[in-house]
Amino acid sequence: MIEKLISEVKQLIIDSLRIEGMAAEEIETDVALFGEGLGLDSIDALQLVVAMEKDYGVVVPDAATGTLVFQSVRSMAEYISENRK
Amino acid sequence: MNCYMFPGQPLTHNAQLPDDSDFSEIAELTLLRTGVNLHDFTRQGEDGSVSAMLQIYGVAMSLYQARRFRLQGVRPDLIAEHSMGIYPALAVSGSISEGDALELTWRVGCCMNSMKKSREYALGCVVGLTLEPVLSIAENNGVYLANLNTSRHFLLSGERRNMEAAETEALADGAFSVKLFPSDAPLHTPLMAEIEGEMRGVFSDYRYLEPNLPLLDHINQDFLAATEITEFMIRELELPVYWEKSFIALKKAGVGKFFEVGVGDSLKKYNRWIENEASRQ
């Protein structure tokens, strides 16, 4: 179940951030999304918040939660799994 | 239609620099006109500051990247600019030379550096809140809206202690992210009027030719004529940058492809947000 969600999250990242030249499966599940990892920033993070809410009905209510949720693809998938409606 | 977008000042310096003849030429010109050595990020002489050097780095990289895009056959039909992106934008539109753009940027940076002798200033990126609460936070804390980049991405500017209070309030109000950065001057605020006379002197030392490509200003979304450039450069230091309005104006003008000419990809990301939001409505 979580593996399927992980694949979906990778595709959500590619689609919502319009990442070109990279396939979903090339994103590592446990690598950091920000900084040295995938190199995302707060502009990207807010785009992901909107996409998660649209696709899964999951809300990231504040900055502190966002910091935990957007650590990696796995942490995003786990948060969606625990909070989806 | 292609649009070259020139971003404002980068917040960090990337030590990994291009290694080709175009960059060597730009680096040499930068050293000659400003005294800044891009290779080791040092400066000959005592004036200037880290912020001023970052501004030079940003302009130099924009000039370099414009050359590379042109070499790749990507030619602009329109030019847009954000904040200090005006200086390389003027050069690439043929209004001033590359060397003048670098020197002008350095002199502006040195003028701004003089402001921090009396007060400490900061800029703050606020992500996630809408305009109304951001304006309230600015008013409550005596700081100013400096950039309206999208419906949810703003920059505040002002005295550092006030900015710290604004940061606390923004986070308490549910901002998704707030980041403060030290700044030599309260860029894009009326506080910049303190050095207006000095700036006017700097800008009047250069001759501005008619841009050979339409150059969109970020205040009123008008295309700048040569006679308007000095006044625009003074006003833009004291007024907010309206990027969202600029992007919408560029789309209306028929731009289909946007090329960010400089360090980072913030403008592309703002554009993505604005487009996604429009498609959701």
Side-chain angles (χ1 to χ4, degrees):
Chain A
M1 178 64 184
I2 194 76
E3 290 308 316
K4 182 173 177 286
L5 203 47
I6 283 171
S7 296
E8 288 178 18
V9 165
K10 288 179 181 177
Q11 195 57 53
L12 176 141
I13 291 171
I14 295 282
D15 293 344
S16 60
L17 302 185
R18 300 185 194 174
I19 297 174
E20 290 170 357
M22 188 182 213
E25 54 273 19
E26 289 176 60
I27 300 176
E28 290 183 42
T29 304
D30 294 300
V31 79
L33 295 177
F34 293 84
E36 295 295 307
L38 200 55
L40 306 187
D41 61 18
S42 59
I43 308 174
D44 298 314
L46 191 64
Q47 198 81 61
L48 293 177
V49 168
V50 173
M52 282 168 63
E53 190 166 352
K54 179 172 165 276
D55 290 4
Y56 299 101
V58 169
V59 174
V60 179
D62 51 43
T65 308
T67 303
L68 296 173
V69 172
F70 295 113
Q71 281 180 352
S72 65
V73 167
R74 187 180 301 280
S75 60
M76 281 178 71
E78 286 172 352
Y79 186 76
I80 292 169
S81 174
E82 288 160 14
N83 295 279
R84 73 195 298 178
K85 289 168 186 165
Chain B
M1 286 173 89
N2 291 338
C3 175
Y4 277 11
M5 310 177 289
F6 288 87
Q9 177 194 327
L11 297 169
T12 55
H13 167 251
N14 187 343
Q16 264 198 321
L17 296 169
D19 182 18
D20 57 42
S21 59
D22 272 322
F23 185 75
S24 295
E25 275 182 38
I26 294 288
E28 239 174 77
L29 189 61
T30 304
L31 186 62
L32 180 71
R33 297 297 294 268
T34 72
V36 174
N37 185 332
L38 293 173
H39 293 287
D40 59 8
F41 205 54
T42 57
R43 151 88 179 141
Q44 294 170 347
E46 289 180 359
D47 52 347
S49 64
V50 172
S51 282
M53 283 171 59
L54 282 169
Q55 286 151 15
I56 288 297
Y57 164 65
V59 171
M61 291 308 292
S62 286
L63 295 173
Y64 165 73
Q65 229 175 46
R67 286 186 179 203
R68 301 307 291 179
F69 275 135
R70 285 195 152 134
L71 207 63
Q72 292 160 18
V74 179
R75 306 214 167 252
D77 301 296
L78 274 170
I79 291 188
E81 49 74 39
H82 184 289
S83 186
M84 299 194 88
I86 183 62
Y87 310 120
L90 286 171
V92 172
S93 68
S95 183
I96 57 175
S97 68
E98 289 178 329
D100 280 356
L102 286 160
E103 186 185 279
L104 186 55
T105 307
W106 180 252
R107 293 179 69 190
V108 168
C110 290
C111 282
M112 293 203 292
N113 189 31
S114 69
M115 289 188 80
K116 75 175 183 195
K117 286 175 187 156
S118 52
R119 287 191 180 88
E120 271 190 89
Y121 297 103
L123 303 174
C125 299
V126 180
V127 175
L129 296 176
T130 56
L131 179 60
E132 199 179 331
V134 171
L135 288 174
S136 295
I137 290 163
E139 193 179 345
N140 294 345
N141 296 285
V143 299
Y144 298 87
L145 181 68
N147 290 181
L148 202 165
N149 292 317
T150 79
S151 63
R152 300 288 181 120
H153 302 87
F154 305 95
L155 186 79
L156 295 176
S157 177
E159 280 190 51
R160 184 170 185 92
R161 60 192 164 83
N162 296 346
M163 288 295 295
E164 285 168 353
E167 176 187 28
T168 304
E169 189 176 334
L171 285 170
D173 281 2
F176 182 72
S177 158
V178 186
K179 281 185 194 153
L180 292 196
F181 304 93
S183 176
D184 290 346
L187 205 51
H188 303 301
T189 78
L191 302 176
M192 293 296 291
E194 188 183 313
I195 56 167
E196 187 178 314
E198 214 179 327
M199 287 294 188
R200 201 174 282 279
V202 169
F203 295 141
S204 66
D205 281 345
Y206 300 85
R207 182 166 166 252
Y208 306 96
L209 302 179
E210 210 58 59
N212 54 29
L213 289 164
L215 169 56
L216 191 84
D217 87 63
H218 64 238
I219 300 173
N220 297 319
Q221 290 68 53
D222 290 329
F223 294 111
L224 286 171
T227 52
E228 299 164 335
I229 289 170
T230 299
E231 210 49 43
F232 170 75
M233 288 195 291
I234 290 164
R235 287 180 68 225
E236 78 103 5
L237 293 170
E238 299 175 16
L239 292 170
V241 176
Y242 295 102
W243 180 254
E244 186 175 35
K245 284 184 184 174
S246 293
F247 176 70
I248 292 166
L250 290 162
K251 291 291 280 186
K252 273 189 187 161
V255 174
K257 286 188 177 171
F258 291 85
F259 298 87
E260 189 152 359
V261 189
V263 178
D265 48 11
S266 296
L267 297 181
K268 273 189 205 162
K269 291 179 180 184
Y270 294 145
N271 295 353
R272 181 185 70 201
W273 177 272
I274 298 163
E275 282 192 319
N276 282 348
E277 192 169 55
S279 68
R280 285 197 299 272
Q281 285 167 353

